[in-house]
């Protein structure tokens, strides 16, 4: 993330590239985001090739990425960025919320995924979170991922049940696992339990280590198998 403002006295600015093949979307979006005090839109790209060129010219902190673009689509561009510029965070902004698009983008390395129903505040919040190393998924995407995880978990419920949770999980860690199983984000868990997101992350890290949980989808399966969700 860029550490200081070019003006010297203002907040640190995130250098952002807006990528969308439709000028009617790309240009107004870049203009609106540029109004935020802590966001500097350094380039607007019409395809993946232009994104890579803008990042190479750098510095860039976050790319707001459409998925369906000519020359090189958003998923392949995200994959290239993850390989060659891992310091650059990608937040997908697209009309598509199907499993293939979501899993393809996240698997390629996207840190956030929003649909174009998202408002300006949602988009700026996701950009800031990505710049800080956090992940943001909108509710529709979370619901799709949860449904996919549950569908995959259903045939393996017996297997999951055969992996009992360790006895040294604290009541709070079990509670957090149950809420993950219900599809809540870190923020949602924090609000539900009246604790900070940082504390939620600590609980998640601890329970993942103790229970040998690989990722959030695995956590959903384990929660279902343990009867917590």
């Amino acid at each position: 993330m860029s550490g200081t403002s070019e003006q010297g006295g203002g907040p640190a600015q995130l250098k952002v590239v807006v990528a969308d093949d439709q000028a009617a979307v790309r240009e107004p979006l870049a203009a609106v985001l540029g109004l935020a005090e802590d966001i500097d839109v350094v380039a607007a790209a019409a395809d993946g090739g232009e994104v890579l060129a803008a990042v190479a010219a750098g510095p860039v902190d976050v790319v707001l990425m459409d998925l369906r673009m000519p020359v090189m689509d958003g998923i392949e561009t995200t994959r290239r960025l993850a390989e060659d510029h891992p310091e650059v965070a990608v937040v997908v902004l697209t009309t598509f919320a199907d499993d293939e698009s979501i899993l393809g983008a996240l698997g390629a390395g996207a840190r956030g995924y929003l649909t174009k129903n998202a408002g300006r505040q949602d988009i700026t919040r996701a950009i800031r979170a990505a710049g800080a190393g956090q992940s943001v998924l909108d509710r529709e995407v979370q619901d799709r991922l949860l449904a996919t995880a549950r569908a995959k978990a259903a045939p393996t419920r017996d297997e999951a049940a055969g992996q009992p949770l360790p006895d040294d999980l604290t009541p709070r860690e079990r509670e957090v696992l149950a809420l993950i199983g219900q599809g809540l984000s870190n923020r949602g868990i924090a609000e539900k339990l009246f604790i900070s997101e940082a504390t939620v992350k600590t609980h998640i890290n601890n329970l993942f280590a103790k229970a040998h949980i690989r990722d959030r989808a695995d956590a959903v399966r384990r929660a279902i198998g343990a009867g917590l969700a």
Side-chain angles (χ1 to χ4, degrees), residues 54-224:
V55 170
V60 173
D61 298 305
V62 181
V63 176
L64 188 63
M65 185 86 72
D66 187 23
L67 289 186
R68 302 295 194 266
M69 297 186 295
V71 181
M72 184 185 301
D73 67 23
I75 291 178
E76 179 59 26
T77 306
T78 299
R79 186 176 294 112
R80 296 277 191 94
L81 290 175
E83 292 174 353
D84 300 334
H85 301 277
E87 75 283 0
V88 177
V90 172
V91 174
V92 170
L93 180 65
T94 180
T95 56
F96 300 95
D98 58 281
D99 290 352
E100 182 178 358
S101 297
I102 295 169
L103 296 176
L106 297 180
R111 194 168 289 168
Y113 197 111
L114 304 176
T115 65
K116 288 184 178 177
N117 293 325
R120 180 173 63 88
Q121 290 185 340
D122 296 324
I123 297 171
T124 54
R125 187 182 301 120
I127 289 173
R128 290 168 183 146
Q134 301 169 7
S135 298
V136 175
L137 306 176
D138 72 15
R139 187 68 200 182
E140 182 179 358
V141 172
Q142 289 181 38
D143 289 345
R144 292 287 303 208
L145 288 175
L146 179 60
T148 299
R150 285 184 181 278
K152 290 182 178 179
T156 61
R157 180 182 291 270
D158 292 340
E159 179 183 347
Q163 294 180 286
L165 297 175
D167 294 335
D168 60 345
L169 281 188
T170 67
R172 180 64 93 189
E173 288 164 356
R174 286 177 176 271
E175 196 170 14
V176 168
L177 180 58
L179 294 175
I180 291 175
Q182 294 171 29
L184 271 68
S185 65
N186 286 5
R187 174 176 294 181
I189 294 172
E191 292 174 351
K192 183 82 171 179
L193 299 180
F194 302 102
I195 58 179
S196 69
E197 286 189 64
T199 300
V200 171
K201 289 179 184 177
T202 298
H203 288 314
I204 289 175
N205 289 338
N206 289 340
L207 78 88
F208 275 31
K210 290 178 181 178
H212 304 291
I213 294 173
R214 296 185 302 275
D215 51 33
R216 215 170 181 94
D218 190 30
V220 172
R221 287 191 289 270
R222 295 291 294 278
I224 294 172

